[in-house]
Amino acid sequence: MSQPANPVSTPLAQYAPRHFLLKVEGGVATVTLNRPERKNPLTFESYRELTDFFRAASFDDDVKAVVVSGAGGNFSSGGDVFEIIGPLVKMDTKGLTAFTRMTGDLVKAMRACPQPIVAAVEGICAGAGAIIAMASDMRLAAAGAKVAFLFNKVGLAGCDMGACAILPRIIGQARASELLYTGRFMSAEEGERWGFFSRIVAPSDVLAQAHALARDIAAGPTFANTMTKRMLAMEWAMSVEEAIEAEAIAQALCMTTADFTRAFEAFAAKQKPDFKGN
């Protein structure tokens, strides 16, 4: 766990990751977990580099949305058994706490990243892979996809990387409890019915539809989209009264943007607005 990942530099379009694939096009950054022979497991290094990537995204105005996917027909099998779990059983408390905080930092970075994140989930999506999907803002499922929060299968609690905080807010307390206590797989159909997935599509279409959704978001008003993501996160901890007041301030700020004026002028001219992100 001592080797740092590449320091992530911007613009992200010029960054060459070591531990995943990256492509930036049309305002959309596509992150592809790329160890298909092992179903795209995570390592100490990939955790760090992914965290650094999402933090760096905050400073790249050319990236308006992010798509996360996995290579070879699977999203991610989670932490690599031999490269992560094996070393963990030899660590002391201090080292283990440093590791669990590091993994949690990835979720913090994804939630703090201003760009909306779309997960394109195929095949196996388990353990920390399920957490990455959970931490995304939207999730599309390929038919046959399976999601499992496997932590209790390796003798650990389901409270990993924010699962007990975030998952119940997506699918409800009882359903989240069932998945976290049993570690069983949730099918794509269950995931769509429970609200974890927005929709199910053919495996050949899931990445294309994720990109289409991301491009649609990227074409919208960037500052306003950023504000929407921020308020969706902040209002978890607010009363309704506090949320309404916070939204009033947020919306007033959005009304000062040039994109708001562009939208009005385009409407008046019976045209589609061309948002510039300011």
Side-chain angles (χ1 to χ4, degrees):
M1 206 167 70
S2 60
Q3 294 297 317
N6 266 353
V8 178
S9 57
T10 56
L12 293 174
Q14 298 177 16
Y15 176 66
R18 292 182 183 178
H19 304 293
F20 53 88
L21 301 179
L22 176 64
K23 182 178 181 180
V24 179
E25 185 176 19
V28 177
T30 302
V31 172
T32 305
L33 306 175
N34 189 39
R35 299 179 69 195
E37 72 285 355
R38 302 275 294 276
K39 298 180 182 177
N40 307 316
L42 298 171
T43 65
F44 294 123
E45 293 78 14
S46 60
Y47 271 118
R48 278 206 188 90
E49 192 171 24
L50 284 165
T51 300
D52 291 346
F53 166 82
F54 284 109
R55 286 177 176 156
S58 299
F59 303 99
D60 193 336
D61 291 338
D62 292 331
V63 174
K64 314 293 187 183
V66 179
V67 171
V68 182
S69 66
N74 291 289
F75 190 75
S76 174
S77 56
D80 190 287
V81 172
F82 297 105
E83 295 185 44
I84 286 187
I85 297 178
L88 289 181
V89 299
K90 301 175 183 177
M91 288 185 189
D92 61 13
T93 302
K94 181 179 179 180
L96 291 169
T97 305
F99 168 74
T100 53
R101 285 176 173 158
M102 179 190 74
T103 61
D105 280 345
L106 173 55
V107 174
K108 291 179 185 179
M110 292 177 70
R111 300 315 307 146
C113 165
Q115 294 89 344
I117 304 168
V118 183
V121 179
E122 292 184 77
I124 298 299
C125 176
I131 294 288
I132 291 174
M134 177 197 76
S136 301
D137 297 285
M138 293 148 281
R139 292 156 293 276
L140 306 186
K146 298 189 296 182
V147 179
F149 298 83
L150 294 173
F151 308 110
N152 80 323
K153 297 294 188 182
V154 294
L156 298 177
C159 56
D160 198 77
M161 300 173 69
C164 285
I166 300 173
L167 189 61
R169 290 179 165 95
I170 299 173
I171 65 173
Q173 185 79 10
R175 289 163 173 168
S177 297
E178 179 181 336
L179 295 182
L180 296 175
Y181 279 123
T182 67
R184 75 165 179 85
F185 277 97
M186 171 178 62
S187 69
E189 290 76 17
E190 282 180 312
E192 183 187 36
R193 190 167 67 247
W194 291 358
F196 189 80
F197 292 119
S198 299
R199 56 183 178 269
I200 302 172
V201 300
S204 59
D205 292 337
V206 66
L207 189 57
Q209 290 208 26
H211 278 134
L213 177 56
R215 287 193 301 270
D216 187 48
I217 293 168
T222 304
F223 182 86
N225 286 341
T226 296
M227 190 65 74
T228 298
K229 177 166 180 173
R230 184 68 63 236
M231 298 310 294
L232 280 168
M234 289 176 61
E235 291 180 37
W236 283 0
M238 293 181 183
S239 68
V240 173
E241 290 77 10
E242 290 170 330
I244 291 171
E245 175 62 17
E247 289 191 2
I249 295 168
Q251 198 70 297
L253 285 173
C254 290
M255 290 174 182
T256 68
T257 63
D259 274 345
F260 179 63
T261 302
R262 290 185 187 103
F264 169 73
E265 290 173 348
F267 178 82
K270 298 183 179 180
Q271 298 173 349
K272 183 177 179 180
D274 182 16
F275 293 118
K276 302 295 184 183
N278 64 328

